[in-house]
Amino acid sequence: MFKRIRSLPRFFAMAGLLVTLGGLQGCVGVDPGLVQGGIKAHFMKTPEERKASLADFATANNWATTAFWNTAMGEAMFYLPDDFRTTFTRDEDTFINYAFGAYLAQYPDVSYDSLNSWLGEIGILEIAGISRERLEYARGFGRVWLKNLEEDPKNLAMKERLALFKQRFGGGSDSYKRIFPPHRMRALLRDDAALKAFLTDDAYAEDWVDKNRDINTTTRDKTFQYKSIQEFLSPVTIGILPGLAS
């Protein structure tokens, strides 16, 4: 029988993945620590509560759930259909393999022991019925899935669009990864008109960068203090944008 962990702080013991994430303040970028805390809180709930939490989490639209998907999926979300949140939360096994697995694959330092404890207490995953072997299976599943997704020929056009973006911003570098949250990149790359404007219109590109940058990160790193947005932009010659599969 499932046994609730009662000795943990009341806030975390009562919170689910959605509530825990939604109750905090922060940006909508990438935050591995936030996700780890949310996962702990999720598995501290009963199976029935976890099921309800996933159902709510699939459709919630707030900064915290966005940060979760940005962190768990990363650039994989560029290739995913619009309903990926619903797909990956249809049941807990799917959630563990895809969302949790992708997160674990990208953050190998997150271990069973670190997830299984909270403030000196142990057994969060054990009580939820998640074994060490199950977690490592999810990590391996996520690693293979992410690799296959990126190498899928159907996603070549998206990779070409991303290459155009990199050529336009940052001179082909990966500097964009710390500046733009993945969900905002995804929206631009999948919008033909917006992407074409970004690639060809300096005023549009500057405005897009200013509105879609991770303000917390760029302010902390002083990204645009000594180099203007315009200096990050390079001219790109394009014809017809690579067409995305429908």
Side-chain angles (χ1 to χ4, degrees):
M1 179 180 296
F2 184 92
K3 181 181 179 182
R4 184 192 296 272
I5 301 176
R6 296 186 180 279
S7 58
L8 297 174
R10 185 172 183 270
F11 172 77
F12 293 106
M14 294 179 63
L17 184 59
L18 173 63
V19 177
T20 298
L21 293 176
L24 303 175
Q25 298 294 321
C27 68
V28 292
V30 172
D31 192 331
L34 175 79
V35 172
Q36 184 169 177
I39 288 172
K40 286 172 182 273
H42 176 71
F43 286 112
M44 285 161 55
K45 302 191 77 174
T46 67
E48 293 78 15
E49 290 169 338
R50 297 203 304 268
K51 183 177 180 180
S53 180
L54 283 181
D56 290 339
F57 187 60
T59 56
N61 186 22
N62 55 51
W63 75 265
T65 53
T66 300
F68 171 83
W69 291 111
N70 278 340
T71 306
M73 296 290 103
E75 295 193 1
M77 71 165 58
F78 299 170
Y79 310 117
L80 298 175
D82 291 341
D83 64 351
F84 74 89
R85 289 187 178 197
T86 302
T87 299
F88 294 158
T89 55
R90 64 175 179 261
D91 57 65
E92 190 163 87
D93 198 52
T94 300
F95 172 75
I96 292 173
N97 282 339
Y98 286 92
F100 194 10
Y103 168 71
L104 291 170
Q106 295 178 85
Y107 299 96
D109 290 342
V110 177
S111 68
Y112 185 84
D113 292 332
S114 68
L115 287 165
N116 198 37
S117 62
W118 189 274
L119 299 178
E121 299 283 347
I122 61 173
I124 293 172
L125 296 182
E126 292 174 339
I127 293 174
I130 309 298
S131 67
R132 190 181 301 271
E133 291 73 22
R134 179 67 180 95
L135 182 141
E136 291 307 323
Y137 174 85
R139 193 193 303 274
F141 183 99
R143 186 180 299 117
V144 172
W145 174 67
L146 290 173
K147 184 174 185 294
N148 289 343
L149 189 67
E150 184 177 358
E151 295 178 351
D152 191 329
K154 292 185 297 185
N155 293 325
L156 178 59
M158 178 56 75
K159 294 177 72 173
E160 291 174 346
R161 288 186 175 213
L162 179 58
L164 285 171
F165 180 95
K166 291 171 63 175
Q167 184 180 348
R168 175 66 160 148
F169 184 90
S173 72
D174 288 340
S175 60
Y176 70 92
K177 290 184 177 181
R178 64 177 177 78
I179 296 175
F180 306 112
H183 76 290
R184 292 178 178 167
M185 287 281 298
R186 180 185 189 276
L188 178 69
L189 293 172
R190 298 177 75 86
D191 185 326
D192 290 359
L195 179 58
K196 189 168 184 178
F198 177 85
L199 295 173
T200 59
D201 184 331
D202 284 351
Y204 183 95
E206 288 186 60
D207 185 62
W208 186 90
V209 170
D210 186 55
K211 290 180 178 177
N212 291 278
R213 64 190 175 94
D214 183 328
I215 295 176
N216 286 357
T217 298
T218 55
T219 300
R220 182 190 65 236
D221 295 348
K222 301 180 180 179
T223 306
F224 301 114
Q225 183 170 337
Y226 303 107
K227 186 176 181 181
S228 69
I229 292 176
Q230 189 172 24
E231 291 177 283
F232 276 89
L233 300 176
S234 300
V236 176
T237 301
I238 64 168
I240 299 176
L241 285 175
L244 300 178
S246 59

